[in-house]
Amino acid sequence: PDEELCISYIESAEPFDARQEAIANYGFVCTCDKCRAEMDSSAGDLSTSQSEDGNEIDNHDLFGSDDEETDGDAEESEIAEMTAEVGSGERMLQDRLVSLNKSFNSISSIPMLIHAEAANFVLRVGSQAFELVKKEEDPDSNIVQSFSKLLKCVQERDFVGCQEAGSATEKLLFQILNETGSWPFVEYRECFGCAAVVAAVGYAHEGNFITAQRMLDRALILGLPRKNIRHFFDFVEIHAIQASNSPTPPTMKCTIPEYNEDNKDILQKSLSQPIRHNIEESPLIEEDIFLSEYVSKSKPLVFRGLARQWPATNKWRHLHNFAHEHGHRSVPIELGSMMNSCGMKEQIMAFGEFFSSFLFPSSKKEVWTLQNATEDSSEIGYLAQHPLLDQIPSLTKDVELKPSLCGKAGPYNFNIWLGTGGTRTPLHFDSYDNLFVQIVGAKYVRIYSSAESENLYVIRDASKSSTNLQGNMSEVDCELEDFDLKHPKARNAKFVEVLLLPGDSLFIPSRSWHYVRSLSTSISVNYWF
């Protein structure tokens, strides 16, 4: 590793004296193999020297002969005995670390090892990314000045400065993203993530874990890998949960109906027309048969009740509890609908705000009709295709992480889809096989095979869609199609469809066109494999 000590962020390429001076800031004298070798080499050169009269002086015997034991000899003997008891240099460092950690914690609420992980990440990744950013920005620009101050604060463990410089830099870089829709280079995004981490360190140091969590969440949403600062993220998350827990229960109760075969007729009212072309259904099927007869042949298949026993199917429908536990977390929300004329915009907000402003009002509608979905777009909000299980790992215990139907290798990725009724995902295809699981509420899904592509008016014109220009989006609005004037060939395109209830699963083959609409407040998880 580049670091000499697990608790430090000192580059091993630095000269010996510079490394020792930096490590001394932590109260250490390093005894790693590299430092010992350099120390022994230096000591060998200095082991003898000349006195003024030309005689050799043994530099290891500067305090006299060994004929009689002096106080110094006794002290050296005592130290040798202590060292023998303690063991290796590594053991001594660990003991020293415990002592230092206690001292460090007296001035910081962040344990030393955890703080070092975050600081090390910023100094490695941030410094490297900053080199490119400096080439693109004016030396006197706010971004250059702010990020330079940020790095200095990290090196000096200036927690107040970390909060101020980190927050200022994060705001400046986010403003670039807001104004242009993207960062000029990936290094700008990396600097943004580092700035958010530094700000979070400052906020966590003063005990403001809610704000620290929001900083980290926003960075994660915009591309910061959680694994790079896993221990720091876990530390902030635990304390943010403790800080957010109110002593009184939430006042807004919100429980989504337990839709099933007995009350399915209620949902029929929300369909634009009765289901006529049912997707094939199957009970639990052997993995080999599923892979050979459906996956390899790109045939969609419905599994009724496959996930009915998952804890999430009951636990997550009580959305007030979900909001109570995770309301302080920041999440990316799509507001409105990309299929409506007014369009859709994205916004990062606290889950608690999303719950009170969108999910709770949505739950008051027994079902969402197609008319609701098209006319009430201001009431629609969607946490769409988001790795919420990575962001909040505690949720993983409520779902299956590796469904057997995804093959022996398991899914390569999974996402949560959580939103109001009326959300509509336009007709499109994905490049991976998809196991789509309905957890809470109900959804309508329509699927066209890839053979129908020539009838589905694939979007290839940049002026018609800035969302996706990879040839996997269709112009066809499945349920509101004017075949005569707009897309006459789509009238004859063959499709299959299904009404998914809680616990139901649907296999959507790769490159199969599919359209999805929420008939109620809804939560789904999909697995790409």
Side-chain angles (χ1 to χ4, degrees):
D2 290 338
E3 294 76 37
E4 295 184 63
L5 297 173
C6 64
I7 66 144
S8 74
Y9 32 88
I10 311 302
E11 297 288 345
S12 60
E14 291 290 321
F16 173 77
D17 291 340
R19 296 199 313 274
Q20 292 301 324
E21 181 180 353
I23 292 175
N25 188 42
Y26 296 92
F28 279 94
V29 175
C30 185
T31 59
C32 74
D33 291 342
K34 178 180 176 68
C35 286
R36 283 175 175 173
E38 294 183 24
M39 190 181 300
D40 291 344
S41 175
S42 176
D45 295 339
L46 298 175
S47 60
T48 60
S49 59
Q50 298 287 326
S51 66
E52 290 183 0
D53 58 7
N55 296 322
E56 284 191 351
I57 298 176
D58 186 349
N59 286 329
H60 295 300
D61 190 26
L62 295 180
F63 299 101
S65 70
D66 293 332
D67 292 343
E68 56 181 341
E69 187 179 77
T70 64
D71 290 343
D73 295 327
E75 183 177 350
E76 288 180 7
S77 177
E78 182 179 350
I79 292 175
E81 291 176 6
M82 291 173 62
T83 303
E85 292 177 2
V86 171
S88 67
E90 288 78 5
R91 173 68 180 277
M92 293 176 67
L93 286 174
Q94 289 299 321
D95 291 344
R96 177 62 173 153
L97 175 60
V98 172
S99 174
L100 279 174
N101 205 37
K102 292 178 180 178
S103 174
F104 187 84
N105 287 345
S106 67
I107 59 170
S108 171
S109 60
I110 310 174
M112 193 175 206
L113 280 171
I114 293 174
H115 170 257
E117 176 193 59
N120 184 30
F121 168 74
V122 170
L123 292 177
R124 284 189 297 106
V125 176
S127 298
Q128 184 175 352
F130 186 45
E131 289 303 312
L132 185 141
V133 172
K134 283 193 293 186
K135 295 177 182 178
E136 299 297 321
E137 299 287 334
D138 186 284
D140 295 325
S141 69
N142 289 335
I143 289 178
V144 171
Q145 296 298 315
S146 187
F147 203 90
S148 297
K149 180 181 178 181
L150 173 156
L151 292 175
K152 182 179 180 181
C153 291
V154 172
Q155 291 169 328
E156 296 179 354
R157 289 184 291 168
D158 177 358
F159 293 105
V160 174
C162 282
Q163 182 186 133
E164 294 176 350
S167 297
T169 308
E170 193 257 11
K171 184 177 180 179
L172 288 169
L173 289 167
F174 188 75
Q175 186 176 352
I176 293 177
L177 179 65
N178 243 359
E179 292 175 350
T180 65
S182 64
W183 281 301
F185 300 99
V186 68
E187 284 80 6
Y188 280 76
R189 185 187 69 190
E190 291 174 345
C191 285
F192 171 82
C194 289
V197 171
V198 172
V201 167
Y203 284 114
H205 167 73
E206 69 174 16
N208 188 348
F209 291 102
I210 299 294
T211 304
Q213 182 72 80
R214 288 176 181 167
M215 283 285 179
L216 293 178
D217 278 341
R218 185 150 79 163
L220 185 147
I221 290 166
L222 295 175
L224 173 70
R226 177 175 176 139
K227 63 182 180 181
N228 290 348
I229 52 166
R230 179 170 60 88
H231 297 96
F232 177 59
F233 207 115
D234 290 348
F235 173 78
V236 171
E237 186 174 57
I238 290 171
H239 287 80
I241 291 172
Q242 294 173 349
S244 67
N245 282 340
S246 170
T248 59
T251 56
M252 291 190 294
K253 297 288 184 180
C254 179
T255 297
I256 308 306
E258 205 167 0
Y259 298 109
N260 52 48
E261 290 294 328
D262 295 334
N263 59 12
K264 187 168 67 172
D265 291 344
I266 299 174
L267 296 168
Q268 300 290 352
K269 297 186 300 184
S270 65
L271 299 176
S272 57
Q273 55 187 334
I275 290 180
R276 298 164 294 167
H277 310 288
N278 289 287
I279 298 177
E280 182 181 348
E281 298 185 12
S282 171
L284 190 60
I285 191 173
E286 291 184 10
E287 179 185 326
D288 292 343
I289 296 176
F290 172 64
L291 295 175
S292 63
E293 296 300 317
Y294 294 91
V295 176
S296 63
K297 296 180 180 180
S298 296
K299 292 173 58 178
L301 185 64
V302 173
F303 302 93
R304 293 292 183 189
L306 181 69
R308 195 167 292 151
Q309 300 305 315
W310 291 9
T313 56
N314 179 59
K315 185 177 178 181
W316 291 4
R317 70 188 188 92
H318 304 289
L319 284 176
H320 53 278
N321 291 334
F322 200 97
H324 183 58
E325 293 176 18
H326 309 294
H328 62 288
R329 304 303 297 268
S330 296
V331 288
I333 304 299
E334 295 178 359
L335 302 177
S337 173
M338 61 190 300
M339 296 188 67
N340 292 351
S341 57
C342 56
M344 174 269 294
K345 66 176 182 178
E346 296 178 290
Q347 180 178 329
I348 296 177
M349 65 173 66
F351 186 84
E353 180 184 352
F354 178 45
F355 166 75
S356 59
S357 300
F358 292 92
L359 298 178
F360 180 72
S362 168
S363 68
K364 298 303 180 182
K365 285 187 174 72
E366 187 176 41
V367 293
W368 278 68
T369 65
L370 181 59
Q371 183 177 0
N372 294 143
T374 55
E375 295 181 359
D376 301 339
S377 60
S378 63
E379 301 175 20
I380 295 174
Y382 208 6
L383 175 62
Q385 194 176 318
H386 180 59
L388 191 65
L389 300 178
D390 290 333
Q391 184 180 356
I392 309 179
S394 61
L395 296 175
T396 58
K397 65 180 181 295
D398 297 331
V399 299
E400 185 72 47
L401 293 182
K402 291 186 176 182
S404 60
L405 293 176
C406 293
K408 294 181 180 179
Y412 98 93
N413 196 8
F414 41 80
N415 294 291
I416 293 292
W417 307 73
L418 191 163
T420 64
T423 62
R424 294 203 296 159
T425 302
L427 189 61
H428 71 289
F429 72 77
D430 301 308
S431 299
Y432 297 92
D433 290 314
N434 184 1
L435 184 66
F436 188 87
V437 183
Q438 189 62 20
I439 302 295
V440 173
K443 281 183 174 173
Y444 168 76
V445 184
R446 180 183 293 192
I447 298 178
Y448 297 82
S449 75
S450 58
E452 298 291 346
S453 296
E454 62 180 19
N455 297 320
L456 297 179
Y457 298 85
V458 178
I459 297 174
R460 303 188 188 279
D461 185 351
S463 64
K464 292 185 178 181
S465 173
S466 60
T467 307
N468 196 312
L469 299 178
Q470 301 177 20
N472 71 332
M473 299 290 292
S474 168
E475 294 180 11
V476 176
D477 187 337
C478 293
E479 293 185 279
L480 287 176
E481 186 53 57
D482 186 341
F483 295 113
D484 294 330
L485 296 178
K486 289 185 176 180
H487 309 116
K489 290 193 296 184
R491 180 188 295 279
N492 299 319
K494 296 179 180 179
F495 64 86
V496 288
E497 55 193 340
V498 66
L499 173 59
L500 292 178
L501 303 175
D504 291 344
S505 301
L506 168 64
F507 167 59
I508 304 174
S510 64
R511 307 192 73 81
S512 290
W513 296 90
H514 51 286
Y515 159 86
V516 185
R517 177 164 66 90
S518 296
L519 310 182
S520 70
T521 303
S522 170
I523 306 177
S524 314
V525 59
N526 85 290
Y527 302 85
W528 279 316
F529 64 99

